[in-house]
Amino acid sequence: MVGMERFPSVSGFGIDPDASTKRYDYSLSPDTPVYPNSNFYPEEQALEIDVHEGMEVGVVLSGAQERHFDDLVFRVAPGDVWMCTAWETHGWRTTEPGTRDMVLIFRPEFLGDETLCQLSWLSLFAAPPSQRPRVTTPEVRAAVLGLGREVLKEFEQRRRGWEAAMRLD
């Protein structure tokens, strides 16, 4: 895949996944099936490693990052997405000042029976990181970036029913 490079694995950095940084202080439950988080990094940032309950999907809104998985690192820029499955050790390093991202961590039930062309959304998370969907055209990048900004807006406003609005976006 374009933009994918082989680097030392996350475990090759000598990081114990059981001792990974837990960035998210949240509890997912049937009443709280999604945890949204937007991060702004005014400066470049060193590699951080994470592992958590819940599926994760994120989009870069500005700047750039490297996303790290077992034996794979890829760069993400505005409109690029990444996906992590529950309890999957992953990391990131911000490579440009002014980077903003939008991240959703959610219980599988949050997506319910939603499909993408007869394919369950959850099956996309089951693929190895190198085979998960990536943005490949300028048109898709623009659409994903617009969607990411809409999700950020819903998150910031947190109007009644914002969780459902995020799911429908």
Side-chain angles (χ1 to χ4, degrees):
M1 273 191 171
V2 175
M4 301 258 182
E5 300 174 29
R6 296 287 174 190
F7 286 84
S9 69
V10 169
S11 58
F13 292 122
I15 298 167
D16 178 359
D18 294 330
S20 296
T21 303
K22 304 285 192 283
R23 283 188 68 229
Y24 303 101
D25 182 20
Y26 67 92
S27 177
L28 295 177
S29 70
D31 294 332
T32 310
V34 62
Y35 175 81
N37 189 31
S38 180
N39 304 290
F40 178 73
Y41 304 96
E43 299 176 1
E44 290 184 25
Q45 181 181 352
L47 178 66
E48 290 193 36
I49 303 297
D50 199 13
V51 63
H52 51 71
E53 124 182 66
M55 318 299 266
E56 175 180 325
V57 63
V59 61
V60 174
L61 302 176
S62 64
Q65 295 178 331
E66 290 176 350
R67 301 305 299 189
H68 294 247
F69 292 89
D70 187 27
D71 64 348
L72 175 72
V73 173
F74 57 94
R75 288 172 174 74
V76 287
D80 281 327
V81 298
W82 68 88
M83 303 168 76
C84 305
T85 193
W87 305 117
E88 177 177 41
T89 302
H90 59 283
W92 65 98
R93 184 175 78 82
T94 302
T95 58
E96 287 185 19
T99 296
R100 177 174 296 281
D101 61 27
M102 183 68 220
V103 180
L104 296 176
I105 300 174
F106 55 91
R107 292 169 56 102
E109 305 88 75
F110 180 67
L111 292 180
D113 295 331
E114 297 291 325
T115 60
L116 176 66
C117 300
Q118 307 296 329
L119 182 66
S120 165
W121 274 103
L122 295 176
S123 66
L124 302 176
F125 290 87
S130 64
Q131 296 176 21
R132 292 179 188 153
R134 297 282 317 276
V135 171
T136 58
T137 67
E139 295 81 15
V140 172
R141 181 175 306 282
V144 168
L145 190 54
L147 181 62
R149 289 180 178 145
E150 284 298 314
V151 170
L152 177 63
K153 181 178 165 184
E154 293 290 342
F155 166 61
E156 290 176 337
Q157 293 177 355
R158 295 203 189 203
R159 295 176 295 197
R160 187 174 189 190
W162 66 270
E163 297 98 334
M166 284 190 176
R167 184 170 176 239
L168 296 174
D169 278 340

